[in-house]
Amino acid sequence: MRIFLDTANIDQIKQSVKRGVISGVTTNPTLMSREKPADYETAIKEICAIVPGPVSAEVVVEDAKSMIEQARNIATWAPNIAVKIPATPDGLETISILAKEGIKVNMTLCFSLNQAILGALAGATYVSPFVGRLDDIGHDGMQLVKDIVEIFKYYELATQVIAASIRHPQHCVVAAKSGAHIATVPYKVLQQMMHHPLTDIGVTRFLADWRRISPE
Ligand code: E4P
């Protein structure tokens, strides 16, 4: 499983790229608005220049004609752009046209297996089931990830599954066990994935023992 960072924050992206663990970034209008960028295009271009892999940038219009037009423009911003298109009927029309033009699409706001199948058939490069938001309303978000992975495998659909709306490290564990191709995680969860109290205790103890035998 690969890890993408779910953020538009430049410092978080730089830090995570430095650690060599992320191979992509996903943004959305909410994440972007938190950073208060002067200009959407400039902000996405800056992220694309830092990240060694796909960067998802979302359309911010609703009907197919406007989404197609905006997505075509976003796709010119950098070679590693994946345009995020919502899992709506107009979204499907948009995805099928963009896919034929060779534009990478991440179908976002996916909440059902049916939406995922349709997104794959329309030609999406990625589909993003939103695990945390399903959990929030009492559904089993990770079960959806498992179902999509299984069905894509069974029907040999090449679309990759991004486990999204990740809220805690256990989501990452289950995403990996479920065969998700990618988990897109907030910075806080990435930090939590690496942290273990026994590692901290072990490092402190090793260094203390070493200091006892080594001269100042
Ligand atoms: C994924 O691409 C989305 O940006 C993200 O995972 C949404 O997560 P949220 O439900 O925490 O907003």
Side-chain angles (χ1 to χ4, degrees):
M1 184 174 76
R2 290 188 293 146
I3 302 286
F4 288 1
L5 201 64
D6 197 27
T7 187
N9 181 280
I10 296 294
D11 291 337
Q12 293 178 356
I13 294 169
K14 280 186 177 161
Q15 189 60 251
S16 309
V17 166
K18 219 168 28 178
R19 290 181 182 151
V21 288
I22 64 155
S23 51
V25 160
T26 51
T27 68
N28 64 40
T30 305
L31 294 171
M32 197 46 85
S33 68
R34 275 184 209 152
E35 306 307 318
K36 301 186 179 45
D39 166 62
Y40 187 29
E41 179 175 343
T42 311
I44 290 292
K45 281 181 173 170
E46 188 178 4
I47 296 172
C48 286
I50 302 168
V51 178
V55 173
S56 293
E58 190 153 343
V59 292
V60 283
V61 284
E62 246 185 289
D63 64 287
K65 190 173 171 288
S66 312
M67 282 195 280
I68 292 163
E69 204 178 288
Q70 194 173 71
R72 281 180 180 146
N73 178 38
I74 291 175
T76 64
W77 292 350
N80 51 338
I81 287 275
V83 187
K84 259 183 168 181
I85 306 288
T88 61
D90 274 41
L92 282 180
E93 186 183 328
T94 305
I95 292 167
S96 73
I97 287 171
L98 297 177
K100 287 187 195 89
E101 295 175 6
I103 294 173
K104 285 194 170 59
V105 173
N106 174 358
M107 191 181 79
T108 188
L109 292 166
C110 173
F111 293 99
S112 75
L113 178 56
N114 281 334
Q115 288 177 320
I117 292 170
L118 294 175
L121 294 177
T125 308
Y126 310 99
V127 294
S128 292
F130 273 34
V131 175
R133 292 194 196 187
L134 279 170
D135 290 354
D136 288 345
I137 59 159
H139 290 233
D140 185 348
M142 271 302 163
Q143 188 57 49
L144 176 61
V145 171
K146 283 181 201 158
D147 290 345
I148 298 173
V149 168
E150 185 187 330
I151 294 302
F152 281 11
K153 218 177 258 172
Y154 185 80
Y155 289 107
E156 297 179 350
L157 296 167
T159 303
Q160 296 187 41
V161 180
I162 305 181
S165 186
I166 295 278
R167 298 279 157 79
H168 47 73
Q170 192 56 22
H171 272 154
C172 301
V173 171
V174 183
K177 285 182 172 176
S178 306
H181 302 88
I182 298 147
T184 187
V185 305
Y187 186 71
K188 182 178 159 220
V189 176
L190 187 69
Q191 302 279 82
Q192 289 172 328
M193 284 173 77
M194 193 54 201
H195 183 252
H196 199 288
L198 290 180
T199 305
D200 297 343
I201 291 167
V203 168
T204 307
R205 197 176 295 161
F206 281 154
L207 291 179
D209 290 345
W210 188 250
R211 270 193 296 270
R212 234 175 278 139
I213 57 152
S214 64
E216 281 298 296

